[in-house]
Structures are given as structure tokens and as C-alpha cells.
Amino acid sequence: MTATGVIAIAVVVFVILLCAWPLGRYIFRTFAGERTWVDPAVRPIEHVLFRLIGVNPDVDMDWKAYLRAMMAANLIMALFAYGVFRLQNFLPLNPAHIPAMPPYLAFNTAASFITNTNWQNYAGEQSLSYLGQMIGITFLQFTSAATGLVAAMAFLRGMSRQKTNSLGNFWVDLVKAHTRLLMPLALIFAILLMALGVPETLSGPAVVHTLAGSMQTIARGPVATLEAIKQLGTNGGGFFNANSAHPFEDPNVWTCILEIMAMGLIPTALVFTAGHFLHSRRIAIVLCTLLSAILLIGAYVVYAYEAGGNPILAHALGIHGPNMEGKEVRFGLPLTSLFVASTTAFTTGAVNAMHDSLMPVSGMVPLLFMMFNLIFGGKGVGLLNILMFLIISVFISGLMVGRTPEIFGEKIEAREVKLATAAMLVHPFVILVPTAIAMALPSARASMTNPGLHGFSEVLYAFTSAAANNGSAFAGLNGNTPFYNIALGLVMLFGRYVSIIAMLAIAGALAAKARIPETSGTLKVDTFAFGYVFVAVFIIVGALTFFPYLALGPIGEQLQLT
């Protein structure tokens, strides 16, 4: 580790926080119905869209109607994408004549991208046509990000309102998420990426003559537009199999920094948005400070272990120095380490290095971040997980000090605690049970390309990534089999929608309640003291739940190396 590298990591995180502050205010004004500076440009477009889809923007929905609209829209979009993947050989914009996806793989891909997971059991440049990349992949990268975002906005309305059953209008929120946030930002980032060397073309693959006198086919396509929403929408699915380690997706240091910032911008801004909705900027400051500290600690742990190198190489062969296997020299260890931590903290799933080549403790950092699933988290759902653990922490703290649990003027009762607990427990359930099943099946174990504890880590990482809707992989597991395509697809769906359903139900219950005035006995949640309790709760819960599996994977492997 070097002082320059340590400072560089901290500076990038600080810049993300600096940019997220005003964006959080803008998102609040957008979804609170206040006037913003973009209204003159986008409001006429929105009115046309509302008329086309037959939506009255002045009609609000209760939580059940909001949820029904969300689930129906997601189902239709998933079926549409599945059809595109299965029929792409008959559709236009397929200059490489790529065949249709097999049924199991198409199911896995549709489930992956509709849930904002973007797990890829295929090589994008070899398995998808340009049309498939654009209206199958890029389309879902916008809409899945918008779905998570509007779910969080509905929950915040539920927490901030009283004596009402209204959480807003799903269709209005979905349109606003695109017209006022995702599409303008994606346009800006796509232009910046193109200016920095990321290709954007509808021409077919380029055929070139090499210096050795042979012919080489170089895949290309509309990369910059996909890359922009891939990072901004915390999606992660790459145009190329190598993802952001590919020089067409991430050519240089500046694009790497830009992609890290794009990953963290909206998830971090949403914490400030929550502070505005709840009339408590202090809670936003507390949460951002603590979560940023955890993100930095994770990045520094990866940096330290990768810089320390592989002890086996040092002992057996006398090779000293950093572990550069699976890493791009053009990024260096600091940016690689921050990318590893960020892509799982923000549940993006993009990678600029192969996680399978990380040292065991370095590989445990992204695993832990996905197991916690609330170190900022993904677009909207990360904020929902943060608020879920806030409710659980308030309940536990209330039990410890003998006070009635309250949060921001809302009394927390048995219904809310049960729903929050269900949302919390589904995450470890869909990780640990499928992992155990996979390890019990010889056909599933055959997909492991590494033996022993590292192979177990590959399987554990795959199901953790799917459950957290992250999408990154250790890249040493052959997931393109009927078992993994189906199992991972189901884990993605349950990991995404069960918690959203539970949290919207909580939002509906909170919105119907009358606000309780604050008294001297009210437990304050916008303090660093309670913030430490919040961090302790999710770390203890995570440790008790996942430690045995981590001991069989990265911890045991690190002990073997040592």
C-alpha cells in the first residue's frame, strides 16, 4: 500500500458524497411533487406519455394498488425481454448472425435484468445481437433501476405521511424516474464515455490483419450507451464478457473513476433524499458517514491484501510483490480495490478485475458487502434495506431500554416488526439453502473450476450475488447449466420482490397511522450513538447468519495460505 493510493481512494469517495448532496435534494423535489428547474422541458413530454398510457397523474394509489402495478409492469417487461432473447436470430440488427438463446439461459437472463441483478451466464459479444443488447438489456437496465427507485420513494412517502392510504402513483413515478433522472444522467455519462474512448456504433464486428499476418475479428457495438446506464442504474451487466476489465468498456483511469462515481452517485444521493422526506438531514449525515467509513475500510482491506501478494509464491518460488493476477495494469491496485468494494457496496456487479483471482480475505470483502446488502446498496432497494434495519434496530433498542419503539413520529408495532423481519430473513434463506443444495448435487459441484474451499467460495459467491441482486461473480464457476440457470434465476426473483412487497406493506401501515409528537422519552435515531447501534445490529446479524459459511470458504482458504 502507498500513501498516494490510500488518498486516491478517499478522494474518489469524497467526490461521490459531494455530488450526491445536491442530487439528493433534486430527487426529493422531483418525487415530492415540487417544482424543479427541468419542469419546462420535461413536463410536456410527461403529459403526452400519461395520455398515451391512459394514466391520470392526479390519482394516487394505496400500497396494494401500487404493488400490483409494479408487479404487472415487471412481469410484462420480463416476458418481452425473454421473447427478444429467444427470437433474436429472426430480428434485425444482428450483423454477426448470433443464434437465439437457449430457453434456460433466456429465463436466467430475463430474470437477471428485470431484477436489476445483471448476472450473466453468457458472453455478451457472442450471445446477444445489437437489438438484444439495446431493447433487451439496455431497456431493462433503465426500467429495473427505475422500479427500485420508485419503490423507495413510495416507502418514504409512507413514512412521511399520516392518516392516509396514499403512496403516490406508480406510473407517474416510473415515468419521472426516466425523464427526470435516469435518461438525462445516462446521456451525460454516455457522451463523457465516448469522449474518453468507449465505442458506440451499429457497424458489425471489425476484421483486422494482425502483425503475425493472420485475421482477427474484433467485437464492437453500442457500448457507451449501455455502459452509462449499466453503472448509473447499478446494473452491472457488461456488453463484453470481461465487463469493465475490457478496454472497450473501460479504456483508462479516467473512465474507471467515472464508472466508480456513476455506481455510487444515485444510491448515495437517495440517503440524502430520505433525510429530506423525513425532515432530518442529520440522519442522512449519520448514515452517509458510517456507511462511507465501512466502504473505505472494505476498499483498504482489499488494497492491503492484494498489495501484500500471495504468500505461497513468496515462500515456494521467492516471488514477492502485489497480486496482479486477474487485474488490469492500467488501473493499478488502488482503483481496482475501490472498484471491488464499490461494485458490491452499491450492488452494481460490474467488475474491472476478476474476483476469482483475489486473495481470500480480499474476496471476502465483496461477499460481506453483498451479505449485508445495505452498504448504500442498489438503486432504491439499498435504501429500503437501510430503512428496514433502522426499524429492526429501533425495535431492539426499545426492548433494551423499555420504551415503545418509534421512528420519525411513527409507532412501530407487531405488524411492522414481523414484515421487516420477513424482509430481513429472506436474504440469508435464498443464499444458504441453495448453496447447500448445490454442494449436495454432484452435477452442481461439477461446475466448480477450482477444488476445495475456493470452489465452495465460488458457489457461495454466486448465490450471494444473485440474492443481493448484484450480478458480479467469482468467474470460476460455470453457471450456464440447467441447474444454475434455474436456481440463480429463482433466487434473483425472490431476493428482489419478497423484500419489496414486505416494505411496501410496512409503508402502507405507517402512512395510515397518526403521527406521535416527540417527547423526552422518544428514542432519537438521528444521532451517531444510535448510528453505532444500527451498524452493530446488522454486523452481528450478518456474522451470526453467515460466519459458518465464510469459515468454510474465504476464512478457511486464508488459513490454508498462511
Side-chain angles (χ1 to χ4, degrees):
M1 294 178 69
T2 65
T4 303
V6 170
I7 294 172
I9 291 172
V11 167
V12 174
V13 173
F14 176 75
V15 172
I16 292 173
L17 290 170
L18 202 63
C19 296
W21 179 279
L23 182 61
R25 173 66 179 173
Y26 168 76
I27 295 173
F28 164 72
R29 292 177 64 88
T30 295
F31 290 95
E34 298 182 5
R35 184 173 178 81
T36 64
W37 61 274
V38 300
D39 278 19
V42 300
R43 183 164 287 180
I45 300 173
E46 291 172 350
H47 284 319
V48 171
L49 292 174
F50 294 148
R51 284 198 297 269
L52 287 175
I53 61 178
V55 170
N56 184 350
D58 298 322
V59 176
D60 280 356
M61 301 174 173
D62 63 14
W63 76 268
K64 293 180 181 178
Y66 200 100
L67 179 62
R68 283 196 299 268
M70 177 186 297
M71 298 300 286
N74 278 243
L75 175 61
I76 292 171
M77 290 186 292
L79 292 175
F80 169 76
Y82 179 84
V84 170
F85 301 147
R86 293 287 292 131
L87 300 172
Q88 65 179 0
N89 54 321
F90 300 112
L91 298 174
L93 293 178
N94 189 4
H97 305 290
I98 294 173
M101 268 193 178
Y104 292 136
L105 181 58
F107 162 74
N108 181 278
T109 306
S112 176
F113 282 83
I114 195 64
T115 58
N116 201 234
T117 307
N118 300 259
W119 173 274
Q120 293 176 283
N121 276 335
Y122 62 90
E125 67 270 39
Q126 299 173 7
S127 302
L128 282 172
S129 66
Y130 291 172
L131 189 73
Q133 293 276 23
M134 290 190 292
I135 71 169
I137 301 302
T138 307
F139 164 67
L140 290 184
Q141 287 182 329
F142 275 99
T143 57
S144 64
T147 298
L149 176 65
V150 302
M153 296 302 102
F155 187 88
L156 289 174
R157 291 194 192 105
M159 289 193 72
S160 60
R161 294 176 177 180
Q162 59 176 328
K163 294 183 178 181
T164 181
N165 63 355
S166 168
L167 296 183
N169 187 306
F170 169 75
W171 303 109
V172 172
D173 289 344
L174 189 69
V175 169
K176 284 185 175 181
H178 285 90
T179 58
R180 296 170 180 254
L181 185 65
L182 294 177
M183 294 184 73
L185 284 177
L187 177 62
I188 294 170
F189 273 87
I191 292 172
L192 291 174
L193 289 171
M194 284 189 283
L196 291 169
V198 178
E200 180 71 20
T201 179
L202 292 178
S203 300
V207 179
V208 299
H209 295 275
T210 67
L211 294 176
S214 59
M215 304 286 287
Q216 182 179 354
T217 301
I218 300 176
R220 55 183 177 174
V223 182
T225 49
L226 185 146
E227 192 71 20
I229 188 58
K230 161 190 147 181
Q231 301 298 93
L232 278 167
T234 61
N235 289 289
F239 193 98
F240 299 98
N241 193 37
N243 209 277
S244 288
H246 196 288
F248 282 1
E249 288 199 31
D250 198 358
N252 51 58
V253 167
W254 293 111
T255 56
C256 186
I257 293 173
L258 191 66
E259 291 188 16
I260 293 172
M261 291 181 60
M263 280 193 279
L265 183 60
I266 298 179
T268 308
L270 288 177
V271 178
F272 293 111
T273 301
H276 289 295
F277 265 106
L278 301 174
H279 307 290
S280 175
R281 292 186 180 182
R282 184 169 175 82
I283 187 64
I285 294 172
V286 169
L287 288 173
C288 279
T289 301
L290 295 176
L291 296 177
S292 297
I294 296 173
L295 171 61
L296 285 172
I297 290 171
Y300 290 143
V301 168
V302 175
Y303 189 14
Y305 275 87
E306 296 308 302
N310 191 324
I312 289 181
L313 294 179
H315 176 73
L317 302 175
I319 299 175
H320 299 276
N323 173 34
M324 291 302 294
E325 179 191 333
K327 299 175 183 63
E328 287 296 313
V329 177
R330 65 182 185 273
F331 302 139
L333 285 182
L335 285 180
T336 300
S337 302
L338 181 56
F339 207 106
V340 168
S342 298
T343 195
T344 45
F346 301 119
T347 66
T348 304
V351 293
N352 73 345
M354 295 301 102
H355 291 190
D356 201 40
S357 297
L358 295 172
M359 300 302 295
V361 172
S362 303
M364 188 172 70
V365 169
L367 259 175
L368 277 174
F369 280 1
M370 292 186 295
M371 288 170 173
F372 291 150
N373 205 21
L374 48 64
I375 313 301
F376 291 109
K379 196 69 71 271
V381 290
L383 179 62
L384 288 178
N385 290 332
I386 292 170
L387 295 171
M388 173 193 70
F389 262 97
L390 276 177
I391 291 172
I392 293 173
S393 300
V394 166
F395 174 70
I396 293 174
S397 301
L399 291 178
M400 292 172 63
V401 299
R403 293 176 178 172
T404 302
E406 300 172 14
I407 182 168
F408 298 109
E410 303 280 5
K411 183 181 290 187
I412 303 300
E413 297 177 305
R415 172 182 170 84
E416 291 81 60
V417 174
K418 290 177 182 177
L419 287 168
T421 304
M424 176 188 72
L425 291 179
V426 69
H427 184 63
F429 182 84
V430 296
I431 293 174
L432 303 183
V433 173
T435 300
I437 293 172
M439 296 309 298
L441 296 176
S443 59
R445 293 199 306 272
S447 290
M448 296 160 41
T449 56
N450 286 284
L453 301 184
H454 192 80
F456 175 78
S457 295
E458 292 174 350
V459 177
L460 177 63
Y461 194 104
F463 284 107
T464 305
S465 178
N469 298 140
N470 178 264
S472 66
F474 253 28
L477 180 74
N478 175 25
N480 191 14
T481 65
F483 171 79
Y484 281 107
N485 277 324
I486 294 173
L488 290 170
L490 292 175
V491 167
M492 294 173 207
L493 293 171
F494 282 105
R496 171 77 161 184
Y497 293 111
V498 172
S499 59
I500 287 180
I501 292 169
M503 294 303 287
L504 285 179
I506 293 174
L510 294 179
K513 296 181 180 182
R515 189 166 298 279
I516 302 171
E518 184 176 312
T519 67
S520 58
T522 300
L523 180 66
K524 293 185 178 296
V525 300
D526 58 351
T527 64
F528 278 98
F530 182 80
Y532 300 142
V533 174
F534 164 73
V535 172
V537 167
F538 76 73
I539 288 179
I540 291 171
V541 169
L544 292 175
T545 306
F546 295 110
F547 180 78
Y549 277 61
L550 292 173
L552 291 173
I555 295 176
E557 188 183 359
Q558 185 65 43
L559 291 175
Q560 284 183 331
L561 285 179
T562 306

